[in-house]
Amino acid sequence: MKIAVVSAAGKGETDRLLAETAQTLLDNGISLAGIVKEMRHTSQFENGCDMKVRVLPDGNIIQITQDLGAGSDACRLDPSAIAEAVAQVESSDLAQAQLFILNKFGPEEAAGHGFVSAIGKAVDLGIPVLVGVSPASRAEFDRFADGLAVELPANVCSIRTWCQREIAVQV
């Protein structure tokens, strides 16, 4: 199983690193599957809890949070939007991907939902998986990966080096 995990300090830093990595790989002709945060989206909320993701490789943008009104501190994650993102990823030709990227292993995945089945399919196909994990979900991710994931330093060079090495091994 080829899974790497990235957990960067600083709000939004993991998202930035994975989105930048994905764009560089796409620009270099690498076939990707999964999702990354749409970094050009500006949150409407003071706490920044408003997000869009880009489905790889085609770039379809999906708003995965919902507006719960001013002052709400409840989770804004929209389960139907997450299900749509999962469906789009799973309906793509995953077997042709050279790398699978998931911007965040979060509460949905920790509960055994979300992108868990897509990660499993990628692993079954021998496709390397790159996952972002926040400290809040790290214990759940570690249980999911069962000690088989490698932790990458949170810098673009280390992430790209791992991706390039794993893609080269796959070819």
Side-chain angles (χ1 to χ4, degrees), residues 3-170:
I3 298 181
V5 59
V6 176
S7 296
K11 187 173 178 71
E13 184 62 10
T14 300
D15 286 321
R16 184 192 67 75
L17 289 167
L18 295 183
E20 185 177 316
T21 298
Q23 191 58 57
T24 298
L25 293 170
L26 287 168
D27 290 347
N28 285 293
I30 302 300
S31 177
L32 303 178
I35 62 169
V36 292
K37 183 175 181 181
E38 174 53 47
M39 299 306 292
R40 294 174 293 190
H41 173 68
T42 303
S43 177
Q44 301 173 25
F45 303 104
E46 194 173 300
N47 66 1
C49 191
D50 171 20
M51 184 169 40
K52 292 182 179 185
V53 294
R54 183 167 45 113
V55 179
L56 302 169
D58 299 326
N60 189 29
I61 306 294
I62 299 174
Q63 174 88 30
I64 62 167
T65 53
Q66 54 192 327
D67 186 351
L68 299 177
S72 174
D73 61 356
C75 178
R76 297 181 190 275
L77 191 63
D78 182 348
S80 64
I82 293 294
E84 173 62 24
V86 170
Q88 286 189 29
V89 169
E90 289 185 342
S91 69
S92 69
D93 192 2
L94 189 56
Q96 297 304 310
Q98 294 172 277
L99 179 73
F100 182 92
I101 301 176
L102 176 60
N103 71 311
K104 182 178 181 183
F105 184 96
E108 288 289 307
E109 290 74 25
H113 307 295
F115 285 90
V116 166
S117 64
I119 292 170
K121 287 178 186 175
V123 168
D124 286 346
L125 291 167
I127 299 166
V129 175
L130 176 62
V131 180
V133 179
S134 70
S137 297
R138 186 56 191 255
E140 290 88 351
F141 173 79
D142 288 343
R143 278 192 290 281
F144 170 78
D146 197 25
L148 299 175
V150 60
E151 184 165 1
L152 299 178
N155 66 65
V156 172
C157 184
S158 296
I159 296 167
R160 286 185 192 158
T161 298
W162 181 86
C163 292
Q164 291 167 343
R165 182 180 65 243
E166 294 304 325
I167 290 166
V169 168
Q170 181 188 13

